[in-house]
Amino acid sequence: MRPDARAWFSGRTTSARSLADLDVAALLRAKRRGGHRVSVVLPARDEEATVGRLAGEVVDRWVRRVPLVDEVLVVDSDSTDRTADVARAAGADVVAAADVLPAHGTRPGKGEALWKSLAATTGDLLVFLDADLLGDVTHYVPGLLAPLLTDPQVGYVKGCYTRPLEVGGRVTPAGGGRVTELTARPLLNALWPELAGVVQPLGGEYAGRRAALERVPFLSGYGVEVGLLVDLLGLLGLGGLAQVDLGVRRHTSQDTDALGRMAGQVVSAVLARSGAAGTAGLLTQFRAGDGGFDPVSTPVAVDERPPMSTVAEYRAARAGAV
């Protein structure tokens, strides 16, 4: 690891593996002292099995019992199940991604939901959580907020954790994050070695200041996390980034084909940010059938939204809210 990456890892990594690691009262005082408003965003597509419990825990713990959070928003990305109904019943606000900034149309992918959440929320601090999290994650929200509330130089905070892998009912304690280890980490180490200390570059749990997030583009698919990391490095510098050890992260594991498509989008994102031109934008995978192998091709080209601060409707709404 380069000296700058090692120094960042040592100086910008904090621990919030449980609520016992956090002084929540001090964070609440810091929030009030800074006049902050906090929005928690859960992008979701067909997550009725998990989104209700997760949204309900955030609302109950951090809105009603301890007023650390001001709004909890689920951005529904064309779910075909009861994701929206379950989230509303849990106390969260819910918007359909297609209904936000409708004049700009809609695109598939997680990054689209995250981008549109900037226009659908009011907080100056935003926390993003994947909607398929399992287990006790009540400490995630204050853990991710802590560096933003206590250090004005920090503009973006990544969560990091151990990721168990569950396949066919069998659990491996630290086998998750396969796209990170096999795709994202080698590419980032090669192209942006100063980011070598980031433990979970593709992790879906992070927080940031609106003033920073609105100034960078959002990739529409699964490349959104690596795109944000690289773009915010450019905007804020390495010293403006931080990470928090949140302990363990459990979620619904994907099959190999799905992971391959995710990896393809990550590769496209990294190549685009590195300045590479002429990438094919198509991933071909193979399925074995009775007559041999059948090729299946999926688009993985980079599709991105511009910085939200350049969107006229957003600027007008923000100006009216001040």
Side-chain angles (χ1 to χ4, degrees):
M1 190 185 296
R2 278 188 358 184
D4 55 349
R6 184 174 297 280
W8 179 86
F9 176 77
S10 299
R12 285 295 195 201
T13 305
T14 55
S15 178
R17 297 174 66 86
S18 71
L19 286 176
D21 293 333
L22 294 161
D23 186 343
V24 175
L27 295 180
L28 192 57
R29 290 193 298 271
K31 180 198 172 191
R32 290 169 175 163
R33 187 167 55 248
H36 296 293
R37 183 171 173 83
V38 175
S39 303
V40 173
V41 174
L42 284 71
R45 177 181 171 86
D46 294 335
E47 300 291 357
E48 67 172 326
T50 54
V51 71
R53 180 195 60 80
L54 179 59
E57 286 181 353
V58 175
V59 170
D60 179 61
R61 188 65 181 256
W62 303 120
V63 178
R64 295 173 180 158
R65 293 165 59 184
V66 178
L68 190 63
V69 171
D70 298 286
E71 62 181 343
V72 178
L73 179 71
V74 172
V75 184
D76 186 15
S77 297
D78 302 317
S79 292
T80 58
D81 64 3
R82 297 181 60 252
T83 290
D85 293 337
V86 170
R88 284 193 191 93
D93 296 325
V94 180
V95 296
D99 292 339
V100 180
L101 299 176
H104 293 263
T106 187
R107 300 175 186 178
K110 176 184 179 182
E112 175 81 351
L114 298 178
W115 182 72
K116 287 194 169 184
S117 76
L118 295 180
T121 53
T122 57
D124 64 296
L125 303 180
L126 290 94
V127 179
F128 300 97
L129 304 175
D130 278 349
D132 64 346
L133 292 174
L134 303 172
D136 181 9
V137 295
T138 53
H139 59 292
Y140 277 24
V141 169
L144 289 165
L145 283 170
L148 296 172
L149 290 171
T150 59
D151 189 341
Q153 293 185 348
V154 172
Y156 186 60
V157 182
K158 290 288 292 184
C160 62
Y161 20 63
T162 301
R163 302 181 66 171
L165 173 64
E166 182 174 349
V167 177
R170 183 177 179 180
V171 179
T172 303
R178 290 165 287 176
V179 176
T180 292
E181 298 305 329
L182 300 176
T183 303
R185 194 180 311 286
L187 287 170
L188 287 172
N189 273 254
L191 297 170
W192 293 277
E194 63 268 45
L195 292 174
V198 178
V199 178
Q200 295 288 354
L202 301 185
E205 288 66 50
Y206 40 92
R209 300 187 191 277
R210 177 180 294 274
L213 294 167
E214 69 183 7
R215 294 171 60 193
V216 295
F218 277 61
L219 299 177
S220 296
Y222 284 109
V224 62
E225 275 87 16
V226 72
L228 284 174
L229 182 62
V230 171
D231 289 340
L232 287 166
L233 170 68
L235 179 68
L236 303 172
L238 192 60
L241 312 180
Q243 67 182 352
V244 179
D245 180 359
L246 297 172
V248 177
R249 181 191 193 275
R250 294 178 56 237
H251 71 124
T252 306
S253 296
Q254 302 282 341
D255 62 34
T256 302
D257 285 347
L259 292 175
R261 293 189 291 273
M262 292 170 63
Q265 293 185 35
V266 170
V267 170
S268 291
V270 169
L271 291 177
R273 288 299 183 266
S274 71
T279 56
L282 200 65
L283 173 70
T284 299
Q285 299 169 295
F286 293 88
R287 295 174 184 168
D290 294 337
F293 291 99
D294 297 319
V296 178
S297 296
T298 306
V300 293
V302 168
D303 183 17
E304 69 179 47
R305 292 293 200 172
M308 187 59 80
S309 62
T310 68
V311 176
E313 299 95 319
Y314 174 81
R315 293 201 308 270
R318 294 294 298 169
V322 175

